[in-house]
Amino acid sequence: MKIEVQLAHNHEAYIIKNMYPLYLHDLSGHYGLKTEHTPNQHGIFEMGDDYKTLQDQYDVQNIWWEKPNVLYAFLIRVDGVPAGFIFVATAPHCSADTDFFVHEFFLMQPFRGVGIAEHAAKEVFQRYRGRWELFTNPSEKNKVGQHFWRKTVSNYTQGNYVELQDQTHDGEKLIFRFSNR
């Protein structure tokens, strides 16, 4: 199995945009019937009813390809097939004491549970040296995601990381912080 994690170029943005609604649908299962995680009146997983089509949602995501060296959109492929994505943000799109923030991380169902996600995360961590931060949902419904990040970050840092539950700009989250300087 060949796993590739590469920065997605503009001409590949549509691949990630095709997967993005699946990612939002997955997230909705972790939050239940909270308004910000249910579809709007048009069936789109976005806040507000201004988003009527997936194209509207796609257009909002263009920022990931408009700010090189600030926002990074990685495409994960397995044996050449698109399998997921990782969005990494830097200042000013993360907290002041963070160099790199895992903004979004998604692997499609058929590729889960065989080590692809951990491999991809570690590969992205290796590309950039500094202080890292990532959030995940602390609820009971997200035990799999919590376990994944604990295992992945612990393995990558040999247990040298901070984990806490706290308020963020996106509500209460389980926060992981580490440095690979």
Side-chain angles (χ1 to χ4, degrees):
M1 177 169 43
K2 182 179 178 189
I3 303 168
E4 298 172 281
V5 182
Q6 299 171 329
L7 277 173
H9 299 286
N10 284 338
H11 70 276
E12 299 170 304
Y14 77 94
I15 299 170
I16 291 175
K17 291 176 181 185
N18 286 341
M19 289 186 275
Y20 201 77
L22 302 173
Y23 165 67
L24 294 177
H25 179 263
D26 259 15
L27 281 181
S28 71
H30 301 161
Y31 290 93
L33 293 175
K34 292 185 178 179
T35 303
E36 63 271 19
H37 294 285
T38 57
N40 67 16
Q41 72 177 4
H42 307 290
I44 304 294
F45 282 96
E46 284 290 349
M47 292 293 293
D49 293 323
D50 293 340
Y51 301 92
K52 293 183 179 179
T53 67
L54 290 176
Q55 184 62 50
D56 295 338
Q57 186 180 63
Y58 295 164
D59 292 345
V60 171
Q61 296 167 26
N62 287 338
I63 191 171
W64 289 95
W65 290 272
E66 294 170 350
K67 293 188 171 192
N69 301 314
V70 174
L71 299 176
Y72 304 89
F74 290 92
L75 179 58
I76 304 167
R77 285 190 171 94
V78 177
D79 295 330
V81 176
F85 57 83
I86 306 170
F87 288 170
V88 175
T90 64
H93 301 282
C94 57
S95 61
D97 59 348
T98 301
D99 299 313
F100 302 98
F101 176 67
V102 178
H103 194 277
E104 315 280 355
F105 187 97
F106 177 65
L107 194 67
M108 292 196 292
Q109 292 283 343
F111 302 97
R112 295 179 186 174
V114 293
I116 295 166
E118 184 170 355
H119 174 92
K122 288 177 178 179
E123 191 169 318
V124 169
F125 296 155
Q126 279 299 106
R127 290 181 188 213
Y128 305 103
R129 297 296 179 177
R131 298 166 298 180
W132 283 84
E133 183 174 73
L134 62 95
F135 305 156
T136 195
N137 181 338
S139 78
E140 285 292 317
K141 291 183 175 187
N142 189 34
K143 287 291 186 191
V144 171
Q146 295 165 26
H147 173 75
F148 166 75
W149 284 117
R150 271 190 197 104
K151 180 181 77 138
T152 299
V153 172
S154 182
N155 288 344
Y156 179 73
T157 65
Q158 287 93 38
N160 189 18
Y161 69 97
V162 173
E163 176 183 333
L164 65 137
Q165 191 166 326
D166 204 352
Q167 285 295 318
T168 71
H169 67 275
D170 195 26
E172 187 164 331
K173 298 291 181 181
L174 187 61
I175 303 167
F176 294 85
R177 293 183 181 132
F178 65 91
S179 178
N180 63 357
R181 285 189 174 159

